[in-house]
């Protein structure tokens, strides 16, 4: 039998690939993706909330995404100093052009550190009790819970108009996600409100993985971006309507002693605090919309506040 030359073997392999013989080869081959932290997050030795914490990553810190776990709810990261570990994907931002499902899968654990066994009865406060999940009996959706007072928007992004709000711990039905999983399509249990919310502010069962949600590109209404047109509204604690100067939007603090910072991030120092329900003027936002530049009506304080703690 004649030996097959290397050149002939390569030709055969090329033909087989063109014929789709190797179509079962995983398409998940993207790695080395630039990413950034959407919050202060733990970097763990394993892709689990019970994995040992290696270090903490500050809000807006940059790193490289190497891989994901098979479900897509954890990402394997490499920091600038070479430290590697796992972080929950809902707290990580990356290019919207890269879909979560295309990131390469890894089963690696870092070092020989064991997974911590949770103490009985010490479940996270944000977890949804199994009994509650069973009682909801939601068809065609995953039960969830709001981790903060959330704006529900026409589309998956902070530039889309707000169609309503849901309060902290409101029960939700999760219908779908956008491509990279940073926004979820949800509706309230009574179906009064339906739209998009940031996934990092929603809790659901640990057994249900982010990547398992179907992908949707549904938009609501005219899906117009926020323009910042001056408006006149009455705040919940207002005696008189706020007449917002051009280029500003009236708002109010949703929590007591809201920290106002020198920049758009937790790393910046506080320049003052605003009490619950104090009215402010919103001048601008950060690119992702998670921080707002505000000033008090008397110009006493001006700086950046987390947008989830401001109503408008």
């Amino acid at each position: 039998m004649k030996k097959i030359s290397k050149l002939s073997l390569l030709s055969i392999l090329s033909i087989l690939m063109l014929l789709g013989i190797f179509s079962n080869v995983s398409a998940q081959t993207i790695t080395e993706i630039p990413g950034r932290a959407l919050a202060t997050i733990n970097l763990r030795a394993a892709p689990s909330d019970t994995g040992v914490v290696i270090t903490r990553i500050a809000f807006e810190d940059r790193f490289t995404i190497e891989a994901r776990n098979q479900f897509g709810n954890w990402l394997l990261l490499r920091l600038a100093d070479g430290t590697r570990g796992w972080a929950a994907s809902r707290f990580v931002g990356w290019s919207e052009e890269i879909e979560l499902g295309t990131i390469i899968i890894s089963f690696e654990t870092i070092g020989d550190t064991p997974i911590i066994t949770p103490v009985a009865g010490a479940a996270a406060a944000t977890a949804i009790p199994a009994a509650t999940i069973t009682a909801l009996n939601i068809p065609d959706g995953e039960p969830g819970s709001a981790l903060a007072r959330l704006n529900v928007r026409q589309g998956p992004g902070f530039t889309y108009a707000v169609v309503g709000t849901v309060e902290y711990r409101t029960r939700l039905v999760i219908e779908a996600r956008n491509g990279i999983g940073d926004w979820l399509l949800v509706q309230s249990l009574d179906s009064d409100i339906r739209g998009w919310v940031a996934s990092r502010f929603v809790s659901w069962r640990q057994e249900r993985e982010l990547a398992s949600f179907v992908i949707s590109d549904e938009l609501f209404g005219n899906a117009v971006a926020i323009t910042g047109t001056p408006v006149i509204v009455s705040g919940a604690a207002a005696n008189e309507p706020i007449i917002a100067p051009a280029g500003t939007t009236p708002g109010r603090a949703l929590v007591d002693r809201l920290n106002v910072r020198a920049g758009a991030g937790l790393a910046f120092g506080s320049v003052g605090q605003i009490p619950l329900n104090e009215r402010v003027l919103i001048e601008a936002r950060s690119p992702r919309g998670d921080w707002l530049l505000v000033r008090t009506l008397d110009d006493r304080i001006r700086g950046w506040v987390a947008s989830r703690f401001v109503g408008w």
Side-chain angles (χ1 to χ4, degrees):
M1 182 181 293
K2 294 181 178 180
K3 292 183 179 180
I4 301 175
S5 68
K6 290 184 178 179
L7 181 59
S8 299
L9 182 59
L10 289 174
S11 299
I12 293 171
L13 289 174
S14 298
I15 293 171
L16 290 175
M17 291 185 74
L18 287 173
L19 291 175
I21 300 300
F22 295 127
S23 60
N24 62 331
V25 176
S26 174
Q28 296 149 348
T29 57
I30 299 179
T31 186
E32 299 293 314
I33 301 165
R36 66 188 181 91
L38 301 180
T40 300
I41 53 180
N42 289 322
L43 191 71
R44 297 181 180 272
S48 167
D49 287 328
T50 57
V52 171
V53 175
I54 299 171
T55 187
R56 288 173 67 84
I57 305 174
F59 173 64
E60 289 288 2
D61 271 4
R62 306 287 171 157
F63 41 72
T64 298
I65 302 170
E66 295 187 355
R68 66 177 175 93
N69 66 345
Q70 69 270 39
F71 302 114
N73 61 332
W74 289 85
L75 297 172
L76 180 60
L77 310 181
R78 185 177 72 250
L79 308 187
D81 63 2
T83 302
R84 299 170 70 247
W86 293 89
S89 60
R90 73 178 76 174
F91 300 124
V92 177
W94 67 92
S95 171
E96 294 183 0
E97 297 176 358
I98 301 175
E99 204 275 311
L100 178 68
T102 64
I103 300 175
I104 192 170
I105 294 174
S106 172
F107 296 91
E108 180 180 357
T109 55
I110 308 303
D112 298 322
T113 51
I115 293 179
I116 300 170
T117 303
V119 178
T126 56
I128 304 173
T132 302
I133 295 170
T134 304
L136 292 179
N137 192 25
I138 299 171
D140 302 323
E142 173 72 15
S145 177
L147 298 179
R149 187 174 189 268
L150 296 181
N151 285 322
V152 183
R153 297 182 180 271
Q154 290 181 329
F158 289 108
T159 57
Y160 289 99
V162 175
V163 298
T165 59
V166 292
E167 299 299 325
Y168 172 56
R169 296 201 178 195
T170 296
R171 300 300 186 187
L172 303 169
V173 180
I174 303 170
E175 298 181 15
R177 64 175 172 90
N178 65 343
I180 67 173
D182 55 346
W183 287 83
L184 296 173
L185 176 58
V186 303
Q187 65 172 296
S188 58
L189 295 184
D190 56 12
S191 300
D192 278 352
I193 189 168
R194 182 169 178 264
W196 292 89
V197 297
S199 63
R200 61 185 179 275
F201 299 128
V202 179
S203 172
W204 63 90
R205 296 179 303 170
Q206 292 185 359
E207 294 82 5
R208 182 67 187 269
E209 311 300 348
L210 179 64
S212 70
F213 294 133
V214 298
I215 297 174
S216 172
D217 57 2
E218 182 177 355
L219 301 176
F220 299 89
N222 296 324
V224 294
I226 298 172
T227 60
T229 304
V231 293
I232 301 177
V233 299
S234 296
N239 296 319
E240 298 292 338
I242 303 172
I243 301 177
T248 66
T249 299
R252 65 185 179 91
L254 299 179
V255 296
D256 196 21
R257 296 188 296 276
L258 174 60
N259 279 319
V260 182
R261 298 184 179 275
L266 296 175
F268 293 94
S270 175
V271 297
Q273 292 184 326
I274 299 175
L276 175 67
N277 277 329
E278 176 160 352
R279 294 176 293 168
V280 296
L281 293 174
I282 303 169
E283 298 181 6
R285 64 178 175 86
S286 61
R288 292 190 62 88
D290 49 351
W291 289 85
L292 297 173
L293 178 60
V294 304
R295 71 174 189 263
T296 56
L297 300 187
D298 58 7
D299 291 322
R300 176 179 86 261
I301 300 175
R302 181 173 181 268
W304 293 87
V305 297
S307 60
R308 63 184 181 276
F309 300 131
V310 178
W312 66 88

